[in-house]
Amino acid sequence: MTESINSPLLQDNPSLYSFFPLFYMAWADAILLPSEISSIDSYIKKQVWLSEKENVFLRSFLNPMNPPSPKELKTWKQKINELELELNDSLVDIGIKLSKLKGTDISSELKNSLKEIEEILGIVSDESSYHLQSKKPKTLIEGLKTNPSFEVDKMTHILDGDNHEIIERVKKVLADPTFNYLETNDLPTYREKVFTWCKLLADQGFGSMAFPEEFGGEGNMKKYFAIMETLSYHDLSTVIKFGVQFGLWGMSVFFLGTKKHHKKYLKAIGSMALPGCFAMTETGHGSNVKGLETTATYHHEKRSFTIHTPNHKAGKEYIGNAALHGQMATVFAKLIIDGTDYGVNAFIVPLREESSKFVEGVKIEDCGRKMGLNGVDNGRIWFDQVEIPYDSMLDRYASIDEDGQFQSPIASDNRRFFTMLGTLVGGRIGIPRSGLSASKSGLTIAIKHGDRRRQFGPENGSEVPVLNYRSHQRRLMPLLANSYASHFALQYVTNRFLNRKEEEMQEIEAMAAGLKAWSTWNTTHTLQECREACGGKGYLSENRIDRLKNDTDVYTTFEGDNTVLMQLVAKGRLSEFKKEFSYINFFGMLNYVAEKAKTGITEMNPIIVRNTDAEHLLDSDFHLSAFEYREKDILTSAAKRFKKHLDLGMDSFDAFNQTQFHMVNVGYAYVERLILEKFIEQVDQTSDEDCKNTLNRLCQLFALSQIEKNKGWYLEHDYMSGTKTKAIRKMINQLCWEVRQDAVALVDAFNIPDNCLSAPIALD
């Protein structure tokens, strides 16, 4: 600078001080643009009330080749800080006060000049004057903090329900130092540790929990699910190996076998004395179980079966426990009697002798290292004419009589097959519950870190927790709402499965399939968002999000590929739709048309479509109506498309393929409505007022977030106007702001033990 703020010219004419707040703001936050320099320079030149020296002096502060030094900028700021400023002072007001401090008033002519320069620079006075204040009032973002509106213990009891005792029992076992995490990349070491952990859990009676008392259990499937969910706060390889041993291997023997199998195997399975496998999936037939090629040929003269793999791709793929520990397996194979194929049935087949040597005709290869779950020894199995005795057939739904004839209480191969698989629906309930626990762990880590991690803040103010930033809240709060919503929906489908009646199984299977898909997709999305929300800390293995992400990634494709499962849901919904109309007479059709017309009047009239009142946007009736309308419309549209293709002579397989995209959406709409319905029911039945209000806020956030996600559909179908979807976006922002104050308490309510969480960024 050719001149400084201490120039004699300022002593002679103190009114020149009034320019310095403008100059300070211009140089402090940005580089002056050539157009701005030229405009201000020309403007100052025209000011006839300035002397030539004063004119040159002021214009010298506009030279980009010689900008103010850092020291000079600080000197200007110190001069300004000598003033007593008000929050609403403009830069012109500050300039006037500075001139007065130096002993002079400024003319109206000078005041107008300052306003002109301020406009040329495009400076927002209110924001700039705030930055110039030495003592700033606390901002809204600084003032926001964790402030629970409910008692954490009460919320925990709502989540745990009547499983509280067994959950605490499992946590107590996991707290033992024996279960401390193993930090190793050595595959054999990790696998043996997981095997040891599973045996220790079996010693506690956890593995046999669902088996009848006479076979070492308590006959309590509900507790078994709670055990699986709680174990999922710990090592997920252990959870999956535990599930393979006691859920798949054990439950296949229990549900598909009869008393002779229960007496022979269940106690040994429950104690882990008989490690086993569940061999259904084949390399060439992943989701298409009906198309598997392994055969079980019956020989009546020997009263035995021969299990055989006809080609390499018919080998059993990705079988848990197979590579190292499995001694026997439930093998799914086509039953062949006298050359006739009687469909897929289940058989107990030995894999290893007590010496761990393979049974003759059995070949097993290790699948090797995977993306995650490396504590589970997955393997591939091939059978070369392996002979097994008559009693090895699991014969609850099918058997062979003394004359060598096939017998079954269910005549239809298709119905028998799906009945058999229906008893194994528990896996599709256990996996999303396990994934939900992983989501809860990720959210606990990310939210607690966000509450403590401070970044940026108002100038000269303190740094603020990153969880106070709206963008951070937008990332995590809807996912927190999703976790609570998913929790209550999965509890519901669990209870339906445990208290099932045969005529309800198709509906329960659809619920389980849809919730498994929605929930595990949500787990994958949640953990990715949590990783990013923690920045570099989330990338460190010590904070566990990497393990949670990698271990749960496969949840979207095992126990059924999610996209296939959503199509399964859609098929079920179409069947229900077809039934509904097959029984409708003329008057029933009139009622259906009247119902559609009623929807138009009550939900799609111009007033409702544009209603942006907060009371309406937060109303659960509005939320549920919107979800139900979308579900019905998508289902009706998919049915029409499917029927149109059939009417044109297309094969039903091709017709379904043509409408697959719509079918997946049918599944989504059904599941989202179901989840919301169960969340609303939970809110209504919660007795503690504080917990009820908090859950209601989460329910509102869940509902509006899903509506926002699908806003394109609602706009296309004229169910909402653009004005309304904008209002919904604004309301979501407000709900995220409110939920943030409860966020730490809401993840504390998950009550995940520190030894399981084991993430330094989330621990006190």
Side-chain angles (χ1 to χ4, degrees), residues 51 62 118 134 158 203 207 214 290 336 343 348 376 388 431 446 469 526-527 539 596 617 633 637 670 722 724 763:
S51 70
L62 303 174
E118 189 178 45
S134 56
I158 290 171
D203 291 344
E214 60 189 296
K290 279 189 72 179
I336 309 295
I348 295 177
V376 182
I388 59 173
I431 288 302
Y469 289 101
T526 297
L527 292 171
Y539 197 65
K596 293 284 283 184
L617 295 180
D633 190 88
S637 175
Y670 166 74
K724 188 167 186 173
L763 302 178

Side-chain angles (χ1 to χ4, degrees), residues 576-626:
E576 290 299 313
F577 187 79
K578 184 180 178 182
K579 280 182 194 174
E580 182 181 341
F581 277 89
S582 65
Y583 296 116
I584 282 184
N585 56 22
F586 175 74
F587 295 103
M589 183 60 74
L590 288 180
N591 288 336
Y592 176 78
V593 173
E595 190 64 30
K596 293 284 283 184
K598 182 182 174 184
T599 298
I601 295 169
T602 58
E603 299 173 37
M604 297 184 67
N605 66 71
I607 296 174
I608 298 297
V609 165
R610 291 174 174 78
N611 192 346
T612 59
D613 292 345
E615 184 180 356
H616 168 69
L617 295 180
L618 295 173
D619 187 355
S620 60
D621 287 341
F622 158 59
H623 302 154
L624 197 53
S625 293

Side-chain angles (χ1 to χ4, degrees), residues 8 96 110 143 167 181 214 262 271 299 308 336 413 441-442 477 486 507 607 644 652 670 730 740 761:
I96 293 170
L110 174 54
I167 288 171
Y181 288 118
E214 60 189 296
H262 301 166
S271 67
H299 308 287
H308 184 64
I336 309 295
D413 284 355
S441 294
M477 298 306 103
S486 188
E507 180 190 5
I607 296 174
K644 179 183 175 183
S652 61
Y670 166 74
K730 184 177 178 182
R740 181 267 176 267
I761 58 172

Side-chain angles (χ1 to χ4, degrees), residues 22 90-92 114-123 125:
L22 286 164
S90 69
L91 289 176
V92 175
L114 294 171
K115 286 182 178 179
E116 289 287 340
I117 294 173
E118 189 178 45
E119 286 182 18
I120 292 169
L121 291 172
I123 294 172
S125 291

